[in-house]
Amino acid sequence: MKRKKSYNHGDLRLMDKTIIYILLYGGVLLFAFPLFWMLSTSLKTIGEIHRVPMTWFPAHLQWINFKQIFIDAPMARFLWNSVWYSAVTVGAVVFSSSMAAFAFARLRARGSMLLFGLVLSTMMIPSQVTLIPQYLLFTKLHWTGTYLPLVIPAFTASSFTIFLMRQFYLGITKELDEAVKIDGGSHFTMYFRILIPLSMPAFATAAILELISRWNDLFGPLIYLNDMTKYPISLGLANFTAAYGATPWHLLMAASLVAILPLLFIFFFAQKYFIQGIVVSGSKG
């Protein structure tokens, strides 16, 4: 009679760890491969890119490609436009959304839950649905061709950011509210002096998510901007190959790498707050 093979607890734990590490390393390789290929292509010559069989690593590092993209296109101008445009809109969205989230989480008012449900329901409306009315409105205001259609709506908050920060505020004990009232403080005291210092992880999370959205936004600038000197990096990259007869893949990859470097640096230094904010915000219903 054939005997069944038995596994002890230690073997199962080792097997589980092995499977987990295989999945983790596989996921890292899967998501890091496009970045590696972008970096490798950016350091090759155009002839080496089209060589058969292909090469994984450049024979000679072509660092001049990174200098060439600043000569062929106003990359510095594109980057600066993205920096200030993203900084203003991210600050506006996070601050206005945090105030709305504070009202939904800490203040009691009749119909506030219904209003909060309406705010959440706007997340299900595609932005393309409101595109034509918005464009007609901004045309009437003579805002097209400027940054105003992209910047001013940021001050009206974001439904997703409101939801994210409200969840974080719900995790802060409401006994603090009573303590502020006993000390004679107002709601503004509670918001500016208590909640904001305690909410840095939520602010960092909301800021990073909004920054990624604004930095990569192509649709809005494409609709409202018509002057190349005002293009952000997303729209600048889309028009990068316009001056060439064929796509210069080595230069395009170099420009793309330069475009994502600011986001990578910011996420690298703020990932601790980002993960903490996601965990705390997601643990409250």
Side-chain angles (χ1 to χ4, degrees), residues 233-283:
I233 190 66
S234 56
L235 191 53
L237 276 180
N239 289 272
F240 183 77
T241 59
Y244 301 92
T247 303
W249 291 107
H250 57 316
L251 300 180
L252 184 60
M253 291 298 105
S256 301
L257 193 63
V258 169
I260 66 172
L261 278 181
L263 292 182
L264 290 178
F265 277 117
I266 291 175
F267 182 78
F268 178 78
F269 289 108
Q271 59 176 325
K272 173 185 173 184
Y273 297 103
F274 178 74
I275 295 173
Q276 185 179 355
I278 288 289
V279 171
V280 176
S281 300
S283 63

Side-chain angles (χ1 to χ4, degrees), residues 2-234:
K2 190 175 180 179
R3 296 180 58 186
K4 290 184 178 179
K5 187 177 180 180
S6 62
Y7 296 93
N8 58 39
H9 186 65
D11 292 336
L12 289 176
R13 289 191 61 185
L14 180 62
M15 189 180 300
D16 290 343
K17 287 184 178 179
T18 304
I19 294 173
I20 290 173
Y21 279 116
I22 291 174
L23 291 176
L24 288 176
Y25 282 116
V28 169
L29 292 176
L30 181 65
F31 286 101
F33 180 75
L35 190 61
F36 161 74
W37 192 250
M38 181 190 298
L39 176 61
S40 176
T41 304
S42 68
L43 293 173
K44 293 178 180 177
T45 62
I46 190 67
E48 193 176 2
I49 293 173
H50 296 289
R51 184 177 301 165
V52 179
M54 69 174 190
T55 56
W56 292 96
F57 300 96
H60 301 285
L61 300 179
Q62 301 296 319
W63 295 108
I64 195 173
N65 292 343
F66 289 91
K67 180 180 178 181
Q68 191 64 38
I69 60 175
F70 285 90
I71 297 174
D72 294 347
M75 290 292 293
R77 167 61 64 179
F78 294 157
L79 286 170
W80 169 246
N81 290 340
S82 283
V83 167
W84 82 259
Y85 159 64
S86 299
V88 172
T89 52
V90 168
V93 167
V94 172
F95 182 69
S96 57
S97 300
S98 69
M99 294 191 72
F102 169 74
F104 283 124
R106 315 297 288 199
L107 305 181
R108 293 181 180 178
R110 184 176 296 175
S112 61
M113 290 305 297
L114 175 62
L115 184 59
F116 181 63
L118 291 175
V119 171
L120 292 185
S121 65
T122 60
M123 287 194 290
M124 293 182 282
I125 301 175
S127 59
Q128 290 81 1
V129 173
T130 58
L131 175 63
I132 293 178
Q134 280 186 350
Y135 184 81
L136 293 177
L137 172 63
F138 294 141
T139 302
K140 291 283 185 182
L141 294 172
H142 303 288
W143 285 4
T144 53
T146 71
Y147 272 98
L148 291 177
L150 305 173
V151 172
I152 297 301
F155 288 88
T156 59
S158 159
S159 54
F160 175 75
T161 308
I162 291 174
F163 170 74
L164 180 73
M165 304 204 71
R166 174 185 174 273
Q167 299 305 101
F168 189 88
Y169 290 153
L170 289 178
I172 299 175
T173 176
K174 291 190 176 181
E175 293 177 356
L176 291 173
D177 298 40
E178 302 299 328
V180 171
K181 288 181 181 178
I182 293 173
D183 290 341
S186 63
H187 293 306
F188 286 99
T189 305
M190 178 65 191
Y191 174 71
F192 285 104
R193 302 188 63 177
I194 304 296
L195 284 185
I196 286 183
L198 294 175
S199 306
M200 286 300 109
F203 274 87
T205 304
I208 290 176
L209 293 176
E210 190 64 28
L211 174 63
I212 294 173
S213 173
R214 296 289 175 174
W215 191 271
N216 295 328
D217 183 24
L218 173 65
F219 194 64
L222 182 64
I223 295 296
Y224 295 111
L225 299 180
N226 48 26
D227 185 356
M228 181 175 283
T229 60
K230 297 178 181 177
Y231 284 0
I233 190 66
S234 56

